[in-house]
Amino acid sequence: MRGRVKAVINDIDGFFAKHPDIPYSIFVTRWCRDAVAAVRRFLLDTAAQHADEIVRVHAMGGTGTLFEVVNGVMGLPNAQVAAHPFGHTNTFLRFFGHAGGRHFHSMNSQVFSGTTPMDAMLCGRNYGMSYTLVGLEAEAHASAEELIERGIPIDVSRHFRAAVHILERKYLGQPFDITLDGTNLSGHYISIFIANAPNYGHSLTPAPEARPNDGVFDMYMVKYALKHTLLDAMNQYVHGHYQKVPQLVSHHQGQVLKISSPQLMRLNTDGEAYASYTMNYSILPNAIQFVAPSGANGTQHQTRGDALRG
């Protein structure tokens, strides 16, 4: 890992050596959420010295690194965000498709391309650009991340193996009090997916309608069923075919969501795992000025992310 970080730093230094008129700074994170405070401190210091200067923050990592950078820049003026695919999944970048991957790998494209406004989701006190998982999927995601941290390749089969393991522990879902834009959607669900983009993981695309620039989030709620029926339904759902199982999966769009449960809710926002008995979500239209290199166009239904894997 250290060798890889050193190689990336050498590439950055080499690029900017050819562009000495562009000031830059490199920060290597040391622990979880380290970049949040570092980015915010850097932006505030820059604004204090040069109030009108635009700063482009490059998240060189995966979904979690982008999460930290987004939480660092939110609410601060003159900040732009670029994301480089050096992580395990690079979830948000999968929206731009397999063909667009090379543009996000290019320092030249990431430095000199323009930006486009993207929505962000306020999830309690955190901000995300891709998704929030509630219930079974949050549990399965945590199990999958444990495998990744141990160096075990993760794929759809392993993700479902994690889900099966959770089901075998008798997780039958839980009751939720849910209000979406004033509409009551309360009920007993095993999993809830709140999406600002279509994808998560290496190859899962459960939210084909979700767009990170349409001013709404998409919510998919999964009811409980017997294990084999549920796994078949989940297989359809995570590959974007939830319409084939309307008796178990429902789809809604909105801007303000309130969700609570008498049981502790397992949650995950852009790879950040946490838990709570209550949580509020809202969409923040055009909250992030995001670098979208020329040629990297958003796709309607992206199921492969190989070009965007580190």
Side-chain angles (χ1 to χ4, degrees):
M1 180 61 72
R2 289 183 179 179
R4 188 183 186 196
V5 171
K6 182 62 176 176
V8 172
I9 291 174
N10 289 339
D11 287 343
I12 296 171
D13 287 335
F15 175 84
F16 284 107
K18 301 175 183 177
H19 304 278
D21 56 319
I22 304 177
Y24 74 101
S25 178
I26 298 174
F27 178 79
V28 179
T29 59
R30 297 156 293 177
W31 47 73
C32 182
R33 300 184 73 95
D34 195 18
V36 179
V39 167
R40 200 161 193 84
R41 184 168 56 248
F42 181 83
L43 290 171
L44 289 172
D45 289 346
T46 301
Q49 299 175 37
H50 309 283
D52 297 327
E53 184 171 347
I54 294 175
V55 178
R56 181 167 293 185
V57 183
H58 295 254
M60 307 195 80
T63 303
T65 305
L66 180 59
F67 170 86
E68 293 191 23
V69 167
V70 166
N71 280 270
V73 306
M74 282 301 302
L76 297 181
N78 302 331
Q80 301 175 348
V81 175
H84 299 246
F86 284 95
H88 297 295
T89 55
N90 308 296
T91 295
F92 187 76
L93 297 187
R94 288 183 56 214
F95 171 72
F96 295 90
H98 178 81
R102 66 182 185 277
H103 300 286
F104 287 100
H105 279 289
S106 166
M107 278 296 298
N108 192 74
S109 292
Q110 292 281 43
V111 171
F112 293 111
S113 293
T115 62
T116 185
M118 291 286 179
D119 303 339
M121 292 192 302
L122 176 58
C123 311
R125 296 182 178 180
N126 294 312
Y127 298 92
M129 289 192 73
S130 299
Y131 62 83
T132 282
L133 307 172
V134 183
L136 175 65
E137 286 174 275
E139 292 269 15
H141 191 284
S143 298
E145 286 297 310
E146 289 178 8
L147 294 176
I148 290 173
E149 290 300 321
R150 288 160 49 194
I152 301 174
I154 188 71
D155 54 21
V156 174
S157 65
R158 288 189 184 275
H159 185 93
F160 279 105
R161 214 172 300 166
V164 170
H165 179 63
I166 293 164
L167 287 171
E168 288 174 344
R169 298 204 315 259
K170 309 292 186 190
Y171 178 71
L172 306 179
Q174 62 193 89
F176 292 97
D177 292 321
I178 301 172
T179 304
L180 178 64
D181 290 349
T183 299
N184 189 340
L185 299 174
S186 300
H188 195 101
Y189 302 99
I190 195 166
S191 192
I192 299 171
F193 180 49
I194 305 157
N196 191 42
N199 317 98
Y200 75 86
H202 278 308
S203 57
L204 306 182
T205 311
E209 294 89 355
R211 302 289 179 273
N213 54 3
D214 61 0
V216 297
F217 53 73
D218 291 75
M219 183 169 69
Y220 303 79
M221 303 192 298
V222 183
K223 296 180 180 179
Y224 178 77
L226 295 177
K227 184 169 70 174
H228 295 296
T229 300
L230 180 60
L231 288 177
D232 288 342
M234 291 288 288
N235 186 51
Q236 295 285 357
Y237 150 66
V238 298
H239 289 97
H241 306 304
Y242 71 91
Q243 302 96 330
K244 295 183 179 180
V245 284
Q247 72 279 13
L248 292 181
V249 184
S250 60
H251 168 235
H252 310 269
Q253 288 185 323
Q255 294 181 310
V256 178
L257 171 68
K258 297 180 179 180
I259 180 169
S260 62
S261 176
Q263 302 172 23
L264 189 66
M265 300 184 298
R266 300 298 179 184
L267 309 167
N268 189 297
T269 296
D270 287 4
E272 182 84 354
Y274 52 107
S276 180
Y277 289 97
T278 184
M279 188 60 56
N280 295 333
Y281 302 94
S282 58
I283 198 75
L284 305 175
N286 303 329
I288 299 292
Q289 288 297 320
F290 188 78
V291 178
S294 177
N297 300 314
T299 57
Q300 181 173 357
H301 192 92
Q302 181 64 26
T303 58
R304 289 188 55 82
D306 303 78
L308 299 173
R309 296 178 187 175

